[in-house]
Amino acid sequence: MNNLAINGGTPIRDSMLPYSRQSIDDKDIAAVVDVLKSDWLTTGPKVDEFEKAFAGAVDAKYAIAVSSGTAALHCAMYALNVGPGDEVIVPVMTFAASANCILYQGATPVFVDVEPDTLLINIKEVEAKITERTKAIIAVDYAGQPCDYNELQSISDLYGVPIIADACHALGGKYHGKFYWGQPVGSLADLNVFSLHPVKHITTGEGGIITTDNHHFAERMRIFRNHGIPSSHATRKSWFYEMVDLGYNYRLTDIQCVLGISQLRESQFKYWVERRRNIAATYDKSLLEIDAISPLINKAIGPNKATGHAYHLYVVQLDLDKLIWPSHFGRFAIYDALRAEGIGVNVHYIPVHLHPYYRAKLGTRIGLAPVAEAAYERILSLPIFPTMTNQDISDVVQALQKVLGADMR
Ligand SMILES: *Cc1c(COP(=O)(O)O)cnc(C)c1O
């Protein structure tokens, strides 16, 4: 009937192409080994050095390194004094951590839907859901495309509600903002949160970092990541310390920070992001020929059209009606068929409000965010990472042609 690997045919690839993968070279390894031989394994000189390098890379005044992107989100909530009785607005099309951080502080997530062509936060709905209790807005730069921070800023100014950018997907992206040629992601919101997990743009193994221009926020987060103690072991001159608030151990180690420094060296990540953009451009062109697929839209304008999107993910929406497949074969079947061909596609994300925990905790239901819910049935993330070869890209396109063109009746 057809020669799909899932039906016993020969797969396009022998080994699975992952959707993302870290880039580690010998200099990274040597840098980590040096720290292992030094006096400092955890908080030492590399933390400060990494924070300065990261802040510099994104044009922010301060950067605070922590143990994960999730810890970074929690720190941001703490910096803004979010607590019980407060509401924080967050889009549903994101990783659960974007909303979980609100619950960590005892506050209530208020979910909003996304735009159909970008899956970025629906800003009209944000405005409609602001109340006297709204303490913050979390905007997610989904797939690596910055949200419309001009629009968000005017809402922020109008209602006095600060913006947190969950920029975990968007390191290396730009937004036209105040300047036509663009401002880097990391300098766009009151607090900007990044993850340093291996699938993200740069990695420290696990890790996260928050950037801000606000000295007060920076100080609060430094205390929060260290048990609520205002000084670190490294800088303390005596045994004396005081715990001034309930904090956590969210510290990032020197071993990890030196890897972060090495990953930022010579602006390496800028070349990696450029490669991601090249891969995306190749996909854009090749996928035009596949009827049943539409990529998400890059909304950046002016010179930022080329530099706005950081392409952590390359997400396509399937037009299931255009397939010669029985209607009960949904996206799951296509996902399985592509994986069988050796293409590590993925799905980002199950809308947060549909997770059993949130349904039970907040009583959220289907219908709360119709755009995200409909998109969820149709989205696939294609492999994209800097060391992917042109052959890898063409394998993906070939597998899509093979699977989507198959007659499955
Ligand atoms: C990766 C990610 C996080 C969490 O980061 P961790 O480092 O895994 O804790 C949060 N939000 C978004 C959008 C992410 O992609």
Side-chain angles (χ1 to χ4, degrees):
M1 207 163 84
N2 56 59
N3 59 348
L4 296 192
I6 200 162
N7 295 334
T10 312
I12 299 277
R13 294 172 64 94
D14 298 332
S15 64
M16 183 71 81
L17 178 68
Y19 89 88
S20 186
R21 194 184 146 70
Q22 68 274 16
S23 309
I24 300 284
D25 67 10
D26 289 345
K27 285 190 183 166
D28 293 325
I29 294 165
V32 171
V33 169
D34 277 351
V35 166
L36 286 171
K37 293 176 182 165
S38 79
D39 290 342
W40 300 102
L41 294 188
T42 182
T43 311
K46 296 300 173 191
V47 178
D48 194 44
E49 203 183 309
F50 177 50
E51 290 177 340
K52 291 207 163 80
F54 195 95
V58 300
D59 275 5
K61 274 203 182 125
Y62 310 102
I64 294 84
V66 293
S67 53
S68 70
T70 304
L73 283 161
H74 191 185
C75 287
M77 290 289 108
Y78 176 81
L80 297 176
N81 220 355
V82 170
D86 294 335
E87 296 175 353
V88 176
I89 295 175
V90 63
V92 298
M93 186 50 86
T94 184
F95 183 53
S98 310
N100 294 350
C101 63
I102 304 164
L103 293 178
Y104 294 160
Q105 286 298 98
T108 306
V110 173
F111 290 114
V112 295
D113 208 348
V114 291
E115 300 286 352
D117 51 352
T118 57
L119 305 187
L120 294 175
I121 192 166
N122 180 324
I123 296 177
K124 286 218 169 67
E125 194 178 332
V126 170
E127 187 163 14
K129 288 202 168 160
I130 287 180
T131 72
E132 280 167 11
R133 296 180 162 201
T134 309
K135 199 70 181 254
I137 298 162
I138 300 177
V140 178
D141 297 334
Y142 179 81
Q145 169 152 231
C147 298
D148 192 338
Y149 285 98
N150 272 356
E151 287 274 311
L152 286 166
Q153 195 55 51
S154 29
I155 289 181
S156 172
D157 294 343
L158 189 60
Y159 298 94
V161 177
I163 309 284
I164 296 165
D166 180 338
C168 288
H169 294 184
L171 177 62
K174 276 187 174 180
Y175 175 74
H176 60 93
K178 277 183 270 183
F179 311 109
Y180 177 66
W181 57 90
Q183 257 175 290
V185 168
S187 68
L188 297 167
D190 297 286
L191 292 152
N192 309 271
V193 172
F194 297 89
S195 165
L196 307 168
H197 183 278
V199 298
K200 306 292 164 67
H201 290 82
I202 67 163
T203 189
T204 58
E206 295 282 356
I209 196 160
I210 313 104
T211 58
T212 183
D213 285 349
N214 184 310
H215 183 257
H216 170 68
F217 292 161
E219 280 310 299
R220 276 181 69 79
M221 293 188 286
R222 288 188 206 285
I223 293 168
F224 190 64
R225 74 167 167 194
N226 189 37
H227 308 280
I229 299 170
S231 62
S232 77
H233 303 281
T235 55
R236 207 179 300 132
K237 298 280 190 294
S238 83
W239 52 267
F240 186 78
Y241 65 84
E242 282 178 315
M243 187 190 130
V244 297
D245 204 350
L246 185 62
Y248 290 76
N249 178 354
Y250 279 162
R251 297 186 302 258
L252 195 64
T253 66
D254 258 35
I255 304 169
Q256 292 168 298
C257 286
V258 80
L259 180 55
I261 294 163
S262 184
Q263 295 256 299
L264 286 173
R265 97 183 96 94
E266 296 144 19
S267 299
Q268 261 204 126
F269 76 101
K270 294 197 175 157
Y271 300 104
W272 292 341
V273 176
E274 230 167 81
R275 176 61 184 153
R276 287 175 179 273
R277 291 187 186 117
N278 289 338
I279 295 166
T282 309
Y283 275 147
D284 282 346
K285 224 184 301 149
S286 316
L287 299 181
L288 281 177
E289 285 153 36
I290 306 179
D291 222 20
I293 279 188
S294 21
L296 295 182
I297 304 299
N298 177 354
K299 280 280 178 74
I301 54 171
N304 288 333
K305 191 84 195 169
T307 57
H309 203 311
Y311 285 107
H312 163 58
L313 301 174
Y314 188 90
V315 177
V316 298
Q317 307 208 61
L318 299 167
D319 198 342
L320 298 164
D321 296 338
K322 289 191 177 151
L323 302 181
I324 325 167
W325 291 48
S327 56
H328 66 278
F329 280 77
R331 189 264 325 273
F332 276 115
I334 291 163
Y335 172 91
D336 288 341
L338 286 165
R339 303 277 298 193
E341 300 295 342
I343 307 301
V345 287
N346 220 306
V347 175
H348 298 94
Y349 293 95
I350 299 166
V352 178
H353 68 291
L354 298 182
H355 286 297
Y357 177 81
Y358 277 98
R359 291 188 197 228
K361 169 103 185 162
L362 301 177
T364 49
R365 301 210 152 71
I366 289 191
L368 186 155
V371 174
E373 291 160 13
Y376 168 61
E377 302 295 333
R378 304 173 48 205
I379 46 177
L380 275 183
S381 306
L382 306 185
I384 187 165
F385 54 94
T387 54
M388 210 175 146
T389 64
N390 291 342
Q391 182 59 51
D392 294 335
I393 304 172
S394 86
D395 286 349
V396 175
V397 173
Q398 224 188 312
L400 286 167
Q401 279 162 342
K402 181 178 171 188
V403 167
L404 299 176
D407 185 344
M408 296 292 279
R409 284 169 303 185

